[in-house]
Amino acid sequence: MSTWIVRFTANEVGRFLNRWSSPSRCLDPNISTPPPKKSSGCGKKNLHAQLTEIKAAHPDADVQLWAMDEHRLGLHPILRRVWVDNWFGLLSAPVHCRYDWFWLYGFVHPRSGQTYWWLLPRVNIDLFNRALADFAEHFGIGPKHHVVLVMDQAGWHTSDQVVVPEGLHLAFLPPYSPHMQPAERLWPILNEALANRVFETLDDLLERVEQRCVQLLNLTDFISGLTQFHWWRAFQC
């Protein structure tokens, strides 16, 4: 099975192919899962305080507020309802359920609607570190340009092994709060290009996702309106 590391920018689309195996999954109900983290994360007030602190510590630097999330895509079809002229007619959706997948890493700047995408075979600390390093390099994050990146408290986000580039600051949302994550709004519009379709291989699906990501790069006004929550506008960055 092929694996890939694909990077999308406004000027380039690259692909890196390797060999990989799907990670095993344990479905044994007798194995207990660890309790959820008790960290409160950064609510609206804490996020405002973090931004204020960073701006005060770096008065000459430009500070932006971004968000990121991961989305799993695979050969299991995405089914959606469709409008029909005659409800007596029977419509069928093609279904061929298979369980191979990859992950889409999405970064969004809600104020401008700018997006940045990575396609990766899995989620783990090493790949998360690569994505952060490339994100920082691409946008020139450093002493004069700081970015606060809002994300959830997934284990590969909060690990002590995460390497955070200079000028990048991670802000974690409270547990179970996807409604506070602007990047969550990216996935329904991404799925529009995949719904009610069957892809024979992951490469076929990957090609369609690439095309959709490139389209979304140019829809900055639409994405800004979709992801810039009313309370997010108050940050002005």
Side-chain angles (χ1 to χ4, degrees):
M1 188 181 299
S2 297
T3 187
W4 45 84
I5 297 177
V6 182
R7 181 178 58 187
F8 293 93
T9 69
N11 299 318
E12 65 177 352
V13 177
R15 181 183 298 182
F16 177 64
L17 299 173
N18 284 322
R19 301 290 297 177
W20 68 291
S21 300
S22 299
S24 60
R25 302 178 64 193
C26 179
L27 301 179
D28 189 346
N30 297 320
I31 299 179
S32 60
T33 57
K37 297 181 179 181
K38 297 181 180 180
S39 172
S40 60
C42 71
K44 301 173 187 178
K45 294 182 180 179
N46 291 340
L47 183 57
H48 183 272
Q50 184 174 355
L51 281 169
T52 301
E53 181 180 348
I54 293 172
K55 290 179 178 180
H58 308 279
D60 298 327
D62 175 46
V63 179
Q64 289 185 333
L65 183 60
W66 285 66
M68 74 84 57
D69 195 25
E70 296 95 356
H71 183 48
R72 189 174 70 173
L73 295 164
L75 298 181
H76 189 94
I78 299 172
L79 301 180
R80 287 187 174 181
R81 296 179 179 178
V82 297
W83 288 99
V84 295
D85 294 332
N86 184 353
W87 70 275
F88 289 102
L90 294 178
L91 291 179
S92 61
V95 176
H96 184 191
C97 295
R98 288 153 297 160
Y99 299 93
D100 295 325
W101 53 76
F102 55 83
W103 291 80
L104 178 62
Y105 290 47
F107 297 76
V108 61
H109 182 222
R111 187 179 184 187
S112 67
Q114 190 173 14
T115 54
Y116 186 70
W117 309 92
W118 268 66
L119 276 168
L120 295 166
R122 58 179 65 86
V123 288
N124 60 33
I125 299 169
D126 179 57
L127 293 180
F128 181 59
N129 284 338
R130 296 189 197 184
L132 290 183
D134 189 84
F135 174 72
E137 180 181 0
H138 179 74
F139 289 99
I141 298 173
K144 295 298 183 180
H145 179 49
H146 289 248
V147 167
V148 177
L149 188 60
V150 176
M151 64 189 67
D152 59 35
Q153 297 189 47
W156 57 90
H157 295 164
T158 59
S159 170
D160 294 337
Q161 300 177 38
V162 172
V163 179
V164 182
E166 181 182 8
L168 188 61
H169 310 268
L170 306 186
F172 300 106
L173 291 169
Y176 313 110
S177 58
H179 57 283
M180 296 180 62
Q181 171 58 278
E184 285 281 353
R185 295 286 188 91
L186 298 174
W187 311 135
I189 59 173
L190 186 284
N191 289 345
E192 284 180 359
L194 313 175
N196 299 330
R197 296 184 57 182
V198 168
F199 297 90
E200 292 300 325
T201 67
L202 281 179
D203 284 339
D204 294 337
L205 176 61
L206 176 64
E207 182 178 358
R208 187 67 189 99
V209 173
E210 288 178 4
Q211 296 170 358
R212 185 57 174 167
C213 288
V214 172
Q215 292 173 350
L216 295 179
L217 287 172
N218 300 317
L219 299 179
T220 54
D221 291 341
F222 174 72
I223 290 178
S224 178
L226 195 67
T227 59
Q228 192 176 24
F229 301 151
H230 67 91
W231 54 270
W232 194 279
R233 296 191 185 98
F235 299 130
Q236 295 295 314
C237 59

